[in-house]
Amino acid sequence: MKSDSAVPPIDPPSLAERIRLEMDSFTPTEKRAAHMLLSHYPFAGLDTVAEFASRAGISAPSVLRFVTRLGFGGFPEFQRHLREELEAQLLSPLAKSSPSDRSHGAPALASFAESVIGNLRATVENIAPAEFEAVVELLSDQRRPVHFTGGRFTGALARYAESHLRIVRSHVDYIEGQPALWRDRMIEIGRKDVIVAFDIRRYQEDVTALCETAARQGATVVLLTDPWLSPIARVARHVLPAHIVAPSNWDSSAGLLLITEALVAAVTKRLWETAKPRMEAVERLRNEKP
Amino acid sequence: MKSDSAVPPIDPPSLAERIRLEMDSFTPTEKRAAHMLLSHYPFAGLDTVAEFASRAGISAPSVLRFVTRLGFGGFPEFQRHLREELEAQLLSPLAKSSPSDRSHGAPALASFAESVIGNLRATVENIAPAEFEAVVELLSDQRRPVHFTGGRFTGALARYAESHLRIVRSHVDYIEGQPALWRDRMIEIGRKDVIVAFDIRRYQEDVTALCETAARQGATVVLLTDPWLSPIARVARHVLPAHIVAPSNWDSSAGLLLITEALVAAVTKRLWETAKPRMEAVERLRNEKP
DNA sequence: GAAAAGCTGTACCAAAAATTTCAGCCAAGA
DNA sequence: TCTTGGCTGAAATTTTTGGTACAGCTTTTC
């Protein structure tokens, strides 16, 4: 769950713009500073005061007076502003696109979808191939029991993963997050076991406790989380982070689902020799029921 | 004009790329630093060491060791590299997100993701805005109890929807698909009730039966399904189809999740006046627990 | 199961950065 | 020409930051 209501919708006037407007009211050295900054905006401002001063051919104090004049409390504050402006500008192509550009499709749905797609792309970018492969390898080892778990929202994803993987291979189950429900199961968890935990912000203490306990007993922990990393990361062997920010009061789990499905697909492929007969057998059993 | 041989063809091996490749050779805390940096690349690295360390949840010395390990002489040198890389990238808009750049990330993951993204786009295209809006309207009516249900795989999505919506409003629950579990609950289902069913191919008879029974008693049925439409569509008031084909032995539910999250977001927004205090109350209750 | 190797954080120190002080300088006005 | 007001930069000062040594702990190895 994220914080409350609206986000600032208006584009704040860029600092560069303001500088151009106030240019004539500057003193000569201030103008040199301003031109220097504008000519390599905003990178010229990201160095140190001394560097900035020397490039502009003026003294450090003059640079300080310049940024003070612009209304900043000091040079670090000025730099922070530049960074934030730059970051916002760089990320905007995703966020800004299509508030109302597609005429069909529900507008709310369409813009939400664009945002989610951005998350998926970012998620893929930030996952190390080796990490992903290692997890596939781990889940493909049929001698190692696999246990899925998750928090109040992400628990559903853990269930989703479990419901697929349990058909592909054996020794797959789902563990409820509440300590009362897993405490006694822990005696069975050991070095061979693999815990796959889903946990995103508003990290849940009980899930963390479960993983810590399991890790202490030698289990291998795999964590699917957000970019800020659940505390479980401390005990996790492998971490797969997904971007989750969406134009909603809630976080989006689409990235986690993507990773989950990709993992399941990869494991299924790797275990195909044994998975195929298994899946056929499951199908047969289901049809026998009536 | 000649061919493109004159253009600098070499992709400067971005630092991010190097980090992804070496990821598995990192120590646990180094991995946290790496993930932190990659998730907000490169802005996360432009702050001070202390800031970086605290955001990554590690100590300052670990950050220093991390950048040393990457081959930099010190933190300032590391920052300078980031700035230069950023500047270079920003000055050549074409270099941004080139196709060759996309190819890294886990290959299996990347191609899977592209496929899923295609599904999401197609899903949005094929949903009638009016239908989506009507469902939002329906779920926002607090006088109407809402029941979620789904099949063996999609049940997890129904649970996911339920876990969110139950915080936004009251009278929300989840019904298990097995007839034995819902038969007796059916006497309570009537004209005011709303059933939201998730069902994709290999359509499940029990879920269909549940919806038919509910519909017969006057309930309004909303169906999230695949483009081939579950038989439930015959009794459903509203149908929201999602594309599900993925390069896997399994279908992808990402489109269904997208619709689900968009619905939850829209309903939360519409009910914000009453949802906000509710969400705060839930949060308070959770924190009281210890 | 004990010893060794390696990893991580606390506490501390050194370095460098930002900021302030102050004296000189230049231009405008008497 | 002298004075005044405000810029400007060298140097001193203060604050912040990056870097290091060391001790505790975990993991690995024999």
Side-chain angles (χ1 to χ4, degrees), chain A residues 1 46-47 83 90 102 104 114 121 125-126 152 156 160 163 202 250 252-253 261 268, chain B residues 20 38 46-47 83 90 102 104 114 121 125 156 160 250 252-253 261 268 283 286:
Chain A
M1 184 182 333
L46 264 43
D47 268 298
R83 278 203 304 266
L90 210 65
R102 286 183 189 282
H104 54 262
E114 283 310 315
R121 288 230 155 85
E125 287 294 309
N126 290 321
R152 51 174 170 165
Y160 184 84
S163 65
R202 305 301 176 87
W250 306 94
S252 166
S253 298
E261 292 188 333
T268 304
Chain B
R20 275 189 281 264
L38 290 181
L46 264 41
D47 268 299
R83 277 202 305 268
L90 208 67
R102 285 258 170 264
H104 61 246
E114 284 310 316
R121 290 233 155 85
E125 289 294 315
Y160 185 81
W250 306 95
S252 166
S253 298
E261 291 187 332
T268 304
E283 208 54 34
R286 289 187 70 82

mmCIF file of all heavy atoms in Angstrom, chain A residues 1 46-47 83 90 102 104 114 121 125-126 152 156 160 163 202 250 252-253 261 268, chain B residues 20 38 46-47 83 90 102 104 114 121 125 156 160 250 252-253 261 268 283 286:
data_model
loop_
_atom_site.group_PDB
_atom_site.id
_atom_site.type_symbol
_atom_site.label_atom_id
_atom_site.label_comp_id
_atom_site.label_asym_id
_atom_site.label_seq_id
_atom_site.Cartn_x
_atom_site.Cartn_y
_atom_site.Cartn_z
ATOM 1 N N MET A 1 0.838 -1.198 0.000
ATOM 2 C CA MET A 1 0.000 0.000 0.000
ATOM 3 C C MET A 1 0.876 1.253 0.000
ATOM 4 O O MET A 1 1.816 1.363 0.723
ATOM 5 C CB MET A 1 -0.871 -0.045 1.238
ATOM 6 C CG MET A 1 -1.835 1.067 1.327
ATOM 7 S SD MET A 1 -2.776 0.962 2.851
ATOM 8 C CE MET A 1 -2.783 -0.755 3.266
ATOM 9 N N LEU A 46 27.111 19.622 -11.579
ATOM 10 C CA LEU A 46 27.180 18.405 -10.776
ATOM 11 C C LEU A 46 28.572 18.160 -10.188
ATOM 12 O O LEU A 46 28.755 17.265 -9.371
ATOM 13 C CB LEU A 46 26.740 17.197 -11.618
ATOM 14 C CG LEU A 46 25.278 16.785 -11.455
ATOM 15 C CD1 LEU A 46 24.357 17.978 -11.441
ATOM 16 C CD2 LEU A 46 24.872 15.827 -12.553
ATOM 17 N N ASP A 47 29.522 18.966 -10.633
ATOM 18 C CA ASP A 47 30.864 18.836 -10.074
ATOM 19 C C ASP A 47 30.953 19.572 -8.744
ATOM 20 O O ASP A 47 29.954 19.981 -8.187
ATOM 21 C CB ASP A 47 31.878 19.420 -11.069
ATOM 22 C CG ASP A 47 32.402 18.350 -12.007
ATOM 23 O OD1 ASP A 47 33.022 17.403 -11.517
ATOM 24 O OD2 ASP A 47 32.159 18.478 -13.229
ATOM 25 N N ARG A 83 19.937 17.249 -9.782
ATOM 26 C CA ARG A 83 19.812 15.797 -9.953
ATOM 27 C C ARG A 83 18.369 15.364 -10.067
ATOM 28 O O ARG A 83 18.004 14.569 -10.931
ATOM 29 C CB ARG A 83 20.464 15.073 -8.769
ATOM 30 C CG ARG A 83 21.942 14.922 -8.883
ATOM 31 C CD ARG A 83 22.418 13.757 -8.030
ATOM 32 N NE ARG A 83 22.000 13.908 -6.645
ATOM 33 C CZ ARG A 83 22.732 14.452 -5.700
ATOM 34 N NH1 ARG A 83 23.929 14.890 -5.982
ATOM 35 N NH2 ARG A 83 22.285 14.547 -4.467
ATOM 36 N N LEU A 90 14.309 12.431 -17.151
ATOM 37 C CA LEU A 90 14.716 11.201 -17.818
ATOM 38 C C LEU A 90 13.675 10.103 -17.671
ATOM 39 O O LEU A 90 13.529 9.250 -18.532
ATOM 40 C CB LEU A 90 16.051 10.726 -17.253
ATOM 41 C CG LEU A 90 16.920 9.968 -18.240
ATOM 42 C CD1 LEU A 90 17.339 10.907 -19.358
ATOM 43 C CD2 LEU A 90 18.130 9.401 -17.551
ATOM 44 N N ARG A 102 -4.689 7.477 -26.502
ATOM 45 C CA ARG A 102 -5.421 6.429 -27.218
ATOM 46 C C ARG A 102 -6.909 6.681 -27.069
ATOM 47 O O ARG A 102 -7.398 6.813 -25.966
ATOM 48 C CB ARG A 102 -5.118 5.063 -26.627
ATOM 49 C CG ARG A 102 -3.758 4.547 -26.967
ATOM 50 C CD ARG A 102 -3.603 3.174 -26.380
ATOM 51 N NE ARG A 102 -2.228 2.718 -26.501
ATOM 52 C CZ ARG A 102 -1.723 2.252 -27.631
ATOM 53 N NH1 ARG A 102 -2.471 2.140 -28.695
ATOM 54 N NH2 ARG A 102 -0.471 1.878 -27.684
ATOM 55 N N HIS A 104 -9.351 4.580 -28.050
ATOM 56 C CA HIS A 104 -10.080 3.413 -27.581
ATOM 57 C C HIS A 104 -9.345 2.713 -26.465
ATOM 58 O O HIS A 104 -8.232 3.082 -26.117
ATOM 59 C CB HIS A 104 -10.384 2.462 -28.741
ATOM 60 C CG HIS A 104 -9.175 2.062 -29.520
ATOM 61 N ND1 HIS A 104 -8.842 2.688 -30.694
ATOM 62 C CD2 HIS A 104 -8.221 1.158 -29.284
ATOM 63 C CE1 HIS A 104 -7.729 2.146 -31.156
ATOM 64 N NE2 HIS A 104 -7.326 1.219 -30.320
ATOM 65 N N GLU A 114 0.439 1.155 -19.724
ATOM 66 C CA GLU A 114 1.728 1.704 -20.148
ATOM 67 C C GLU A 114 2.701 1.742 -18.974
ATOM 68 O O GLU A 114 3.878 1.443 -19.107
ATOM 69 C CB GLU A 114 1.547 3.111 -20.732
ATOM 70 C CG GLU A 114 0.987 3.105 -22.151
ATOM 71 C CD GLU A 114 1.753 2.171 -23.087
ATOM 72 O OE1 GLU A 114 3.003 2.199 -23.055
ATOM 73 O OE2 GLU A 114 1.123 1.396 -23.825
ATOM 74 N N ARG A 121 9.689 -3.719 -18.368
ATOM 75 C CA ARG A 121 10.961 -3.479 -19.053
ATOM 76 C C ARG A 121 12.069 -3.220 -18.048
ATOM 77 O O ARG A 121 13.158 -3.782 -18.141
ATOM 78 C CB ARG A 121 10.826 -2.279 -19.997
ATOM 79 C CG ARG A 121 9.982 -2.561 -21.220
ATOM 80 C CD ARG A 121 10.722 -2.126 -22.502
ATOM 81 N NE ARG A 121 10.247 -2.881 -23.645
ATOM 82 C CZ ARG A 121 9.176 -2.550 -24.363
ATOM 83 N NH1 ARG A 121 8.479 -1.469 -24.030
ATOM 84 N NH2 ARG A 121 8.817 -3.281 -25.390
ATOM 85 N N GLU A 125 15.544 -5.365 -17.261
ATOM 86 C CA GLU A 125 16.849 -4.714 -17.341
ATOM 87 C C GLU A 125 17.699 -4.964 -16.104
ATOM 88 O O GLU A 125 18.907 -5.073 -16.177
ATOM 89 C CB GLU A 125 16.658 -3.200 -17.508
ATOM 90 C CG GLU A 125 16.175 -2.787 -18.880
ATOM 91 C CD GLU A 125 17.221 -3.072 -19.945
ATOM 92 O OE1 GLU A 125 18.370 -2.671 -19.757
ATOM 93 O OE2 GLU A 125 16.878 -3.733 -20.946
ATOM 94 N N ASN A 126 17.038 -4.994 -14.992
ATOM 95 C CA ASN A 126 17.789 -5.009 -13.738
ATOM 96 C C ASN A 126 18.015 -6.386 -13.136
ATOM 97 O O ASN A 126 18.433 -6.500 -11.991
ATOM 98 C CB ASN A 126 17.104 -4.112 -12.722
ATOM 99 C CG ASN A 126 17.246 -2.658 -13.104
ATOM 100 O OD1 ASN A 126 18.285 -2.247 -13.578
ATOM 101 N ND2 ASN A 126 16.193 -1.884 -12.928
ATOM 102 N N ARG A 152 0.731 -10.666 2.644
ATOM 103 C CA ARG A 152 -0.736 -10.680 2.518
ATOM 104 C C ARG A 152 -1.195 -10.500 1.085
ATOM 105 O O ARG A 152 -2.203 -11.036 0.673
ATOM 106 C CB ARG A 152 -1.362 -9.619 3.427
ATOM 107 C CG ARG A 152 -0.784 -8.244 3.274
ATOM 108 C CD ARG A 152 -1.577 -7.268 4.123
ATOM 109 N NE ARG A 152 -0.896 -5.977 4.174
ATOM 110 C CZ ARG A 152 -1.475 -4.862 4.584
ATOM 111 N NH1 ARG A 152 -2.729 -4.876 4.980
ATOM 112 N NH2 ARG A 152 -0.805 -3.736 4.590
ATOM 113 N N ALA A 156 -0.611 -14.474 -2.815
ATOM 114 C CA ALA A 156 -1.353 -14.985 -3.966
ATOM 115 C C ALA A 156 -0.399 -15.371 -5.092
ATOM 116 O O ALA A 156 -0.625 -16.363 -5.791
ATOM 117 C CB ALA A 156 -2.359 -13.945 -4.454
ATOM 118 N N TYR A 160 0.268 -18.903 -6.860
ATOM 119 C CA TYR A 160 0.235 -19.047 -8.309
ATOM 120 C C TYR A 160 1.443 -19.860 -8.786
ATOM 121 O O TYR A 160 1.313 -20.795 -9.570
ATOM 122 C CB TYR A 160 0.229 -17.668 -8.956
ATOM 123 C CG TYR A 160 0.096 -17.675 -10.454
ATOM 124 C CD1 TYR A 160 -1.153 -17.770 -11.056
ATOM 125 C CD2 TYR A 160 1.212 -17.564 -11.282
ATOM 126 C CE1 TYR A 160 -1.282 -17.757 -12.433
ATOM 127 C CE2 TYR A 160 1.100 -17.560 -12.657
ATOM 128 C CZ TYR A 160 -0.160 -17.665 -13.225
ATOM 129 O OH TYR A 160 -0.288 -17.670 -14.588
ATOM 130 N N SER A 163 1.097 -23.502 -7.678
ATOM 131 C CA SER A 163 0.105 -24.303 -8.397
ATOM 132 C C SER A 163 0.627 -24.790 -9.750
ATOM 133 O O SER A 163 0.207 -25.829 -10.243
ATOM 134 C CB SER A 163 -1.190 -23.499 -8.591
ATOM 135 O OG SER A 163 -0.974 -22.381 -9.423
ATOM 136 N N ARG A 202 6.259 -2.487 2.782
ATOM 137 C CA ARG A 202 5.475 -2.844 3.915
ATOM 138 C C ARG A 202 5.799 -4.311 4.191
ATOM 139 O O ARG A 202 4.926 -5.129 4.370
ATOM 140 C CB ARG A 202 3.949 -2.671 3.694
ATOM 141 C CG ARG A 202 3.561 -1.302 3.248
ATOM 142 C CD ARG A 202 4.018 -0.288 4.296
ATOM 143 N NE ARG A 202 3.741 1.075 3.870
ATOM 144 C CZ ARG A 202 2.588 1.684 4.095
ATOM 145 N NH1 ARG A 202 1.636 1.069 4.747
ATOM 146 N NH2 ARG A 202 2.406 2.924 3.693
ATOM 147 N N TRP A 250 -2.007 1.473 -4.876
ATOM 148 C CA TRP A 250 -1.411 0.184 -4.585
ATOM 149 C C TRP A 250 -0.199 -0.041 -5.472
ATOM 150 O O TRP A 250 -0.081 0.549 -6.545
ATOM 151 C CB TRP A 250 -2.422 -0.940 -4.840
ATOM 152 C CG TRP A 250 -3.707 -0.764 -4.129
ATOM 153 C CD1 TRP A 250 -4.839 -0.185 -4.625
ATOM 154 C CD2 TRP A 250 -4.000 -1.120 -2.778
ATOM 155 N NE1 TRP A 250 -5.815 -0.181 -3.665
ATOM 156 C CE2 TRP A 250 -5.326 -0.748 -2.530
ATOM 157 C CE3 TRP A 250 -3.257 -1.730 -1.776
ATOM 158 C CZ2 TRP A 250 -5.941 -0.961 -1.299
ATOM 159 C CZ3 TRP A 250 -3.860 -1.946 -0.547
ATOM 160 C CH2 TRP A 250 -5.190 -1.566 -0.316
ATOM 161 N N SER A 252 2.058 -2.405 -7.990
ATOM 162 C CA SER A 252 1.735 -3.410 -9.002
ATOM 163 C C SER A 252 2.652 -4.623 -8.881
ATOM 164 O O SER A 252 3.862 -4.484 -8.739
ATOM 165 C CB SER A 252 1.878 -2.813 -10.398
ATOM 166 O OG SER A 252 1.882 -3.850 -11.361
ATOM 167 N N SER A 253 2.079 -5.784 -8.946
ATOM 168 C CA SER A 253 2.869 -7.011 -8.833
ATOM 169 C C SER A 253 3.163 -7.634 -10.193
ATOM 170 O O SER A 253 3.639 -8.760 -10.273
ATOM 171 C CB SER A 253 2.127 -8.044 -7.983
ATOM 172 O OG SER A 253 1.935 -7.566 -6.681
ATOM 173 N N GLU A 261 6.389 -16.333 -13.915
ATOM 174 C CA GLU A 261 6.010 -17.109 -15.096
ATOM 175 C C GLU A 261 7.223 -17.505 -15.928
ATOM 176 O O GLU A 261 7.279 -18.608 -16.479
ATOM 177 C CB GLU A 261 5.009 -16.312 -15.942
ATOM 178 C CG GLU A 261 3.667 -16.163 -15.243
ATOM 179 C CD GLU A 261 2.605 -15.540 -16.135
ATOM 180 O OE1 GLU A 261 2.974 -14.776 -17.054
ATOM 181 O OE2 GLU A 261 1.411 -15.796 -15.906
ATOM 182 N N THR A 268 10.065 -25.690 -16.500
ATOM 183 C CA THR A 268 9.280 -26.679 -17.230
ATOM 184 C C THR A 268 10.052 -27.187 -18.448
ATOM 185 O O THR A 268 10.106 -28.384 -18.723
ATOM 186 C CB THR A 268 7.948 -26.082 -17.705
ATOM 187 O OG1 THR A 268 7.250 -25.566 -16.580
ATOM 188 C CG2 THR A 268 7.096 -27.135 -18.401
ATOM 189 N N ARG B 20 25.886 -6.196 -14.047
ATOM 190 C CA ARG B 20 24.986 -7.345 -14.222
ATOM 191 C C ARG B 20 25.769 -8.628 -14.502
ATOM 192 O O ARG B 20 25.434 -9.697 -14.006
ATOM 193 C CB ARG B 20 24.008 -7.063 -15.354
ATOM 194 C CG ARG B 20 22.791 -6.291 -14.911
ATOM 195 C CD ARG B 20 21.760 -6.222 -16.015
ATOM 196 N NE ARG B 20 22.110 -5.215 -16.996
ATOM 197 C CZ ARG B 20 21.646 -3.966 -16.992
ATOM 198 N NH1 ARG B 20 20.816 -3.587 -16.053
ATOM 199 N NH2 ARG B 20 22.004 -3.099 -17.894
ATOM 200 N N LEU B 38 21.445 -0.391 -9.685
ATOM 201 C CA LEU B 38 20.796 -0.720 -10.958
ATOM 202 C C LEU B 38 19.332 -0.281 -10.969
ATOM 203 O O LEU B 38 18.803 0.086 -12.010
ATOM 204 C CB LEU B 38 20.879 -2.226 -11.212
ATOM 205 C CG LEU B 38 22.272 -2.756 -11.533
ATOM 206 C CD1 LEU B 38 22.213 -4.251 -11.788
ATOM 207 C CD2 LEU B 38 22.852 -2.044 -12.733
ATOM 208 N N LEU B 46 24.829 9.075 -7.517
ATOM 209 C CA LEU B 46 25.244 10.470 -7.578
ATOM 210 C C LEU B 46 25.187 11.166 -6.227
ATOM 211 O O LEU B 46 25.651 12.290 -6.082
ATOM 212 C CB LEU B 46 24.389 11.225 -8.605
ATOM 213 C CG LEU B 46 24.999 11.349 -10.001
ATOM 214 C CD1 LEU B 46 25.668 10.073 -10.419
ATOM 215 C CD2 LEU B 46 23.938 11.762 -11.008
ATOM 216 N N ASP B 47 24.607 10.502 -5.263
ATOM 217 C CA ASP B 47 24.561 11.079 -3.924
ATOM 218 C C ASP B 47 25.876 10.842 -3.192
ATOM 219 O O ASP B 47 26.853 10.425 -3.791
ATOM 220 C CB ASP B 47 23.413 10.432 -3.135
ATOM 221 C CG ASP B 47 22.138 11.229 -3.289
ATOM 222 O OD1 ASP B 47 22.135 12.405 -2.885
ATOM 223 O OD2 ASP B 47 21.152 10.668 -3.811
ATOM 224 N N ARG B 83 28.610 10.273 -14.105
ATOM 225 C CA ARG B 83 28.185 11.534 -14.727
ATOM 226 C C ARG B 83 28.530 11.560 -16.199
ATOM 227 O O ARG B 83 27.712 11.932 -17.038
ATOM 228 C CB ARG B 83 28.852 12.709 -14.025
ATOM 229 C CG ARG B 83 28.142 13.150 -12.772
ATOM 230 C CD ARG B 83 28.503 14.585 -12.447
ATOM 231 N NE ARG B 83 29.950 14.778 -12.347
ATOM 232 C CZ ARG B 83 30.645 14.677 -11.224
ATOM 233 N NH1 ARG B 83 30.010 14.400 -10.111
ATOM 234 N NH2 ARG B 83 31.932 14.867 -11.215
ATOM 235 N N LEU B 90 22.886 11.068 -22.736
ATOM 236 C CA LEU B 90 21.839 12.068 -22.915
ATOM 237 C C LEU B 90 22.077 12.884 -24.169
ATOM 238 O O LEU B 90 21.146 13.389 -24.791
ATOM 239 C CB LEU B 90 21.806 12.981 -21.689
ATOM 240 C CG LEU B 90 20.434 13.581 -21.419
ATOM 241 C CD1 LEU B 90 19.480 12.474 -21.026
ATOM 242 C CD2 LEU B 90 20.532 14.637 -20.333
ATOM 243 N N ARG B 102 18.974 -3.927 -25.433
ATOM 244 C CA ARG B 102 17.871 -4.651 -24.811
ATOM 245 C C ARG B 102 18.197 -6.127 -24.594
ATOM 246 O O ARG B 102 17.555 -6.794 -23.811
ATOM 247 C CB ARG B 102 16.638 -4.577 -25.712
ATOM 248 C CG ARG B 102 15.975 -3.238 -25.679
ATOM 249 C CD ARG B 102 14.739 -3.278 -24.804
ATOM 250 N NE ARG B 102 14.253 -1.941 -24.597
ATOM 251 C CZ ARG B 102 14.549 -1.221 -23.532
ATOM 252 N NH1 ARG B 102 15.314 -1.708 -22.605
ATOM 253 N NH2 ARG B 102 14.070 -0.012 -23.400
ATOM 254 N N HIS B 104 20.480 -7.762 -23.321
ATOM 255 C CA HIS B 104 20.948 -8.358 -22.089
ATOM 256 C C HIS B 104 19.806 -8.424 -21.081
ATOM 257 O O HIS B 104 18.685 -8.163 -21.406
ATOM 258 C CB HIS B 104 22.151 -7.597 -21.546
ATOM 259 C CG HIS B 104 21.842 -6.175 -21.224
ATOM 260 N ND1 HIS B 104 22.398 -5.143 -21.918
ATOM 261 C CD2 HIS B 104 21.037 -5.644 -20.309
ATOM 262 C CE1 HIS B 104 21.952 -4.036 -21.411
ATOM 263 N NE2 HIS B 104 21.128 -4.294 -20.442
ATOM 264 N N GLU B 114 8.965 -9.630 -23.560
ATOM 265 C CA GLU B 114 8.443 -8.982 -24.765
ATOM 266 C C GLU B 114 7.112 -9.593 -25.172
ATOM 267 O O GLU B 114 6.188 -8.905 -25.581
ATOM 268 C CB GLU B 114 9.463 -9.089 -25.903
ATOM 269 C CG GLU B 114 10.634 -8.131 -25.765
ATOM 270 C CD GLU B 114 10.195 -6.685 -25.492
ATOM 271 O OE1 GLU B 114 9.254 -6.203 -26.146
ATOM 272 O OE2 GLU B 114 10.795 -6.049 -24.605
ATOM 273 N N ARG B 121 -0.607 -5.208 -24.322
ATOM 274 C CA ARG B 121 -1.077 -4.217 -25.291
ATOM 275 C C ARG B 121 -2.342 -4.724 -25.984
ATOM 276 O O ARG B 121 -3.336 -4.009 -26.114
ATOM 277 C CB ARG B 121 0.009 -3.953 -26.332
ATOM 278 C CG ARG B 121 1.207 -3.196 -25.783
ATOM 279 C CD ARG B 121 1.504 -1.951 -26.659
ATOM 280 N NE ARG B 121 2.200 -0.934 -25.884
ATOM 281 C CZ ARG B 121 3.523 -0.900 -25.693
ATOM 282 N NH1 ARG B 121 4.281 -1.833 -26.223
ATOM 283 N NH2 ARG B 121 4.067 0.070 -24.988
ATOM 284 N N GLU B 125 -6.225 -3.169 -25.973
ATOM 285 C CA GLU B 125 -6.897 -2.835 -27.224
ATOM 286 C C GLU B 125 -8.291 -3.444 -27.316
ATOM 287 O O GLU B 125 -9.209 -2.856 -27.869
ATOM 288 C CB GLU B 125 -6.064 -3.342 -28.411
ATOM 289 C CG GLU B 125 -4.785 -2.578 -28.649
ATOM 290 C CD GLU B 125 -5.056 -1.146 -29.076
ATOM 291 O OE1 GLU B 125 -5.925 -0.929 -29.928
ATOM 292 O OE2 GLU B 125 -4.388 -0.244 -28.509
ATOM 293 N N ALA B 156 -5.509 -17.975 -7.686
ATOM 294 C CA ALA B 156 -4.553 -17.093 -7.015
ATOM 295 C C ALA B 156 -4.810 -15.630 -7.377
ATOM 296 O O ALA B 156 -4.680 -14.743 -6.539
ATOM 297 C CB ALA B 156 -3.128 -17.482 -7.389
ATOM 298 N N TYR B 160 -5.750 -12.540 -5.047
ATOM 299 C CA TYR B 160 -5.006 -11.282 -5.104
ATOM 300 C C TYR B 160 -5.975 -10.100 -5.152
ATOM 301 O O TYR B 160 -5.842 -9.125 -4.418
ATOM 302 C CB TYR B 160 -4.112 -11.286 -6.339
ATOM 303 C CG TYR B 160 -3.201 -10.094 -6.469
ATOM 304 C CD1 TYR B 160 -2.002 -10.028 -5.771
ATOM 305 C CD2 TYR B 160 -3.534 -9.025 -7.292
ATOM 306 C CE1 TYR B 160 -1.155 -8.939 -5.886
ATOM 307 C CE2 TYR B 160 -2.694 -7.915 -7.415
ATOM 308 C CZ TYR B 160 -1.512 -7.887 -6.721
ATOM 309 O OH TYR B 160 -0.676 -6.793 -6.835
ATOM 310 N N TRP B 250 2.893 -23.044 -20.479
ATOM 311 C CA TRP B 250 1.773 -22.547 -19.699
ATOM 312 C C TRP B 250 1.254 -21.245 -20.289
ATOM 313 O O TRP B 250 1.980 -20.539 -20.982
ATOM 314 C CB TRP B 250 2.209 -22.290 -18.254
ATOM 315 C CG TRP B 250 2.852 -23.469 -17.599
ATOM 316 C CD1 TRP B 250 4.184 -23.719 -17.513
ATOM 317 C CD2 TRP B 250 2.190 -24.559 -16.969
ATOM 318 N NE1 TRP B 250 4.401 -24.903 -16.852
ATOM 319 C CE2 TRP B 250 3.191 -25.438 -16.508
ATOM 320 C CE3 TRP B 250 0.847 -24.875 -16.735
ATOM 321 C CZ2 TRP B 250 2.903 -26.619 -15.829
ATOM 322 C CZ3 TRP B 250 0.560 -26.040 -16.058
ATOM 323 C CH2 TRP B 250 1.571 -26.905 -15.617
ATOM 324 N N SER B 252 -0.005 -17.333 -19.862
ATOM 325 C CA SER B 252 0.394 -16.232 -18.995
ATOM 326 C C SER B 252 -0.835 -15.490 -18.463
ATOM 327 O O SER B 252 -1.748 -15.168 -19.201
ATOM 328 C CB SER B 252 1.273 -15.253 -19.760
ATOM 329 O OG SER B 252 1.386 -14.048 -19.046
ATOM 330 N N SER B 253 -0.820 -15.221 -17.201
ATOM 331 C CA SER B 253 -1.949 -14.512 -16.586
ATOM 332 C C SER B 253 -1.687 -13.027 -16.418
ATOM 333 O O SER B 253 -2.450 -12.337 -15.744
ATOM 334 C CB SER B 253 -2.253 -15.109 -15.217
ATOM 335 O OG SER B 253 -2.633 -16.460 -15.335
ATOM 336 N N GLU B 261 -5.521 -5.270 -11.461
ATOM 337 C CA GLU B 261 -4.907 -4.134 -10.770
ATOM 338 C C GLU B 261 -5.516 -2.809 -11.214
ATOM 339 O O GLU B 261 -5.694 -1.896 -10.397
ATOM 340 C CB GLU B 261 -3.392 -4.135 -11.003
ATOM 341 C CG GLU B 261 -2.685 -5.281 -10.302
ATOM 342 C CD GLU B 261 -1.176 -5.206 -10.385
ATOM 343 O OE1 GLU B 261 -0.656 -4.632 -11.361
ATOM 344 O OE2 GLU B 261 -0.517 -5.738 -9.471
ATOM 345 N N THR B 268 -10.530 1.984 -5.997
ATOM 346 C CA THR B 268 -9.939 2.682 -4.845
ATOM 347 C C THR B 268 -10.051 4.187 -5.021
ATOM 348 O O THR B 268 -10.394 4.917 -4.095
ATOM 349 C CB THR B 268 -8.446 2.306 -4.694
ATOM 350 O OG1 THR B 268 -8.323 0.894 -4.591
ATOM 351 C CG2 THR B 268 -7.857 2.959 -3.455
ATOM 352 N N GLU B 283 -4.321 -0.331 8.679
ATOM 353 C CA GLU B 283 -2.892 -0.172 8.962
ATOM 354 C C GLU B 283 -2.665 -0.090 10.471
ATOM 355 O O GLU B 283 -1.744 -0.701 11.010
ATOM 356 C CB GLU B 283 -2.390 1.112 8.284
ATOM 357 C CG GLU B 283 -0.931 1.068 7.917
ATOM 358 C CD GLU B 283 -0.608 -0.146 7.065
ATOM 359 O OE1 GLU B 283 -1.477 -0.574 6.244
ATOM 360 O OE2 GLU B 283 0.471 -0.702 7.239
ATOM 361 N N ARG B 286 -2.962 -3.439 12.115
ATOM 362 C CA ARG B 286 -1.814 -4.303 11.866
ATOM 363 C C ARG B 286 -0.641 -3.942 12.768
ATOM 364 O O ARG B 286 0.110 -4.803 13.202
ATOM 365 C CB ARG B 286 -1.368 -4.189 10.400
ATOM 366 C CG ARG B 286 -2.325 -4.831 9.445
ATOM 367 C CD ARG B 286 -1.733 -4.824 8.042
ATOM 368 N NE ARG B 286 -0.601 -5.735 7.931
ATOM 369 C CZ ARG B 286 -0.710 -7.039 7.728
ATOM 370 N NH1 ARG B 286 -1.890 -7.588 7.646
ATOM 371 N NH2 ARG B 286 0.368 -7.780 7.624
#
